[in-house]
Amino acid sequence: MSTELALVHGDGRLRVIFYHAPVWEKDVEPNTCPPQGLKVYRATVCREALRPLPPTRSNEQDQPPTEGNPTFNRPVPPFAWHANWSGTSWTWGETRGDEGWKLDEMDELDSWHGRPTGDTANTWNLRLPGGVLIQCPRIIRASGGGDEDGGLNGMAELMRVAWLPTNDRLLRLEASVLAMDRPILDPNDGAIVGFQPPRLGSLRTDVVRKVGELEGVSLLERERKRKDGEANEEELVKPGREEMEDDTVWE
C-alpha cells in the first residue's frame, strides 16, 4: 500500500509517499494465510519547485529563492515549531463532506507538529532539514471481520506531514487511512481470503501563520520575566532551612 501526501507553497511543492508491505505475526509462515498487517518499509520525500534548476543546496545558495517561495535547504531549530499559530483549516469526511474552519489558535492536543515522535508507540517519524516532519503508523493491523453491510470495522491510521516553508508559515496535512478492515470471505467456509482496497477515511489541511510566541514555556521567556521582576518569588528563591515548617533536612 502506498499513500501520497503533498503540500504546496509559492513555487515549491513537498511530496511524501509512505509505503507499507504485508507482514505476518511471529511464528506464522508467510503466505500460508492472508497478511495479518501492513508494515512501513519505505518513505520517499520529494522537494520540487518550478525553477530552472532543481532545488538542491548548491543551487539555492547560488540562486536564492525569491520572497514568498520556500527555501528547502535551510536549518530550522526544533523550537521553531512551538509558537502561536492562526489561520484556516479545510476538512473532508465521508459523512459531512467538505468544510472550512477558522483557526484562531491551536490547543496543545491539536499541536501534533510539536510532538515529533507521535502520540503512540506505533508511530514512525522522521524530521528533515528545511522544516519537514512526517509521521505514519509502523504497523496497520488487519481487522477480524466486517459488518453486515460490508462497512468499516477497524481503526483508522493517521498519515501526517507538517512543513515550515518559511519561518512564519506552517502547513499541515493529516489523512486517516482505512486498510485491511473489510475482509473478503470464502463463500464456502467463511475463511478470510483477502481484503478490499484501502480507502481514505478523512482529510484535514491546515494553513496557518505565526502570530506570536508561546508564553512561559521556554527558558528564555522565564529568564526575561525574572529580569523584569515578573516571576513569582517562590519559584525563584530556593527555600532555606529557616523557611521549612518542620525539622526535615534536605540534601
Side-chain angles (χ1 to χ4, degrees):
M1 183 186 78
S2 63
T3 306
E4 181 174 350
L5 306 176
L7 293 169
V8 176
H9 179 78
D11 67 354
R13 179 172 70 174
L14 178 70
R15 194 159 51 91
V16 180
I17 308 174
F18 299 107
Y19 299 90
H20 288 77
V23 291
W24 286 261
E25 294 183 1
K26 186 179 180 180
D27 301 329
V28 176
E29 185 69 21
N31 298 316
T32 58
C33 64
Q36 296 173 306
L38 297 172
K39 184 176 182 179
V40 61
Y41 76 98
R42 179 185 298 172
T44 302
V45 179
C46 305
R47 300 175 176 88
E48 305 165 337
L50 296 173
R51 303 171 189 172
L53 298 174
T56 61
R57 182 179 298 275
S58 59
N59 288 338
E60 288 190 334
Q61 290 177 347
D62 297 338
Q63 300 181 13
T66 58
E67 185 177 356
N69 296 318
T71 301
F72 289 98
N73 301 278
R74 77 184 201 282
V76 176
F79 55 80
W81 298 88
H82 303 275
N84 284 328
W85 303 98
S86 177
T88 58
S89 177
W90 174 80
T91 60
W92 175 87
E94 290 185 323
T95 304
R96 304 183 63 171
D98 298 322
E99 291 185 304
W101 308 84
K102 181 180 178 181
L103 293 177
D104 294 325
E105 61 180 358
M106 288 187 183
D107 57 27
E108 183 177 356
L109 181 63
D110 191 27
S111 301
W112 56 262
H113 56 270
R115 303 186 294 274
T117 58
D119 298 324
T120 67
N122 192 40
T123 302
W124 179 88
N125 69 91
L126 185 64
R127 179 176 282 181
L128 299 171
V132 176
L133 171 66
I134 62 176
Q135 297 177 352
C136 75
R138 296 178 181 272
I139 296 180
I140 300 175
R141 299 186 179 275
S143 173
D147 56 29
E148 295 180 356
D149 298 328
L152 307 179
N153 183 10
M155 180 179 296
E157 298 289 352
L158 297 178
M159 315 282 182
R160 290 169 167 173
V161 176
W163 182 25
L164 288 168
T166 62
N167 294 332
D168 62 347
R169 180 63 66 90
L170 171 63
L171 308 180
R172 306 193 311 176
L173 182 57
E174 179 184 82
S176 66
V177 178
L178 293 139
M180 307 188 74
D181 63 311
R182 297 174 296 160
I184 301 175
L185 306 179
D186 188 305
N188 297 322
D189 56 10
I192 298 178
V193 296
F195 295 91
Q196 297 287 348
R199 58 177 170 175
L200 181 66
S202 64
L203 185 68
R204 172 175 171 175
T205 304
D206 301 325
V207 179
V208 295
R209 184 182 296 274
K210 182 178 178 180
V211 294
E213 301 288 348
L214 295 177
E215 298 182 358
V217 296
S218 68
L219 293 177
L220 293 176
E221 181 72 14
R222 296 178 196 172
E223 182 66 14
R224 184 188 65 81
K225 287 186 176 182
R226 186 187 68 81
K227 292 181 179 180
D228 294 343
E230 298 176 358
N232 190 326
E233 184 178 355
E234 294 181 359
E235 296 178 355
L236 298 176
V237 181
K238 183 178 180 181
R241 183 186 299 269
E242 67 280 4
E243 297 173 304
M244 298 295 182
E245 295 182 356
D246 54 22
D247 295 331
T248 304
V249 177
W250 299 92
E251 299 293 340

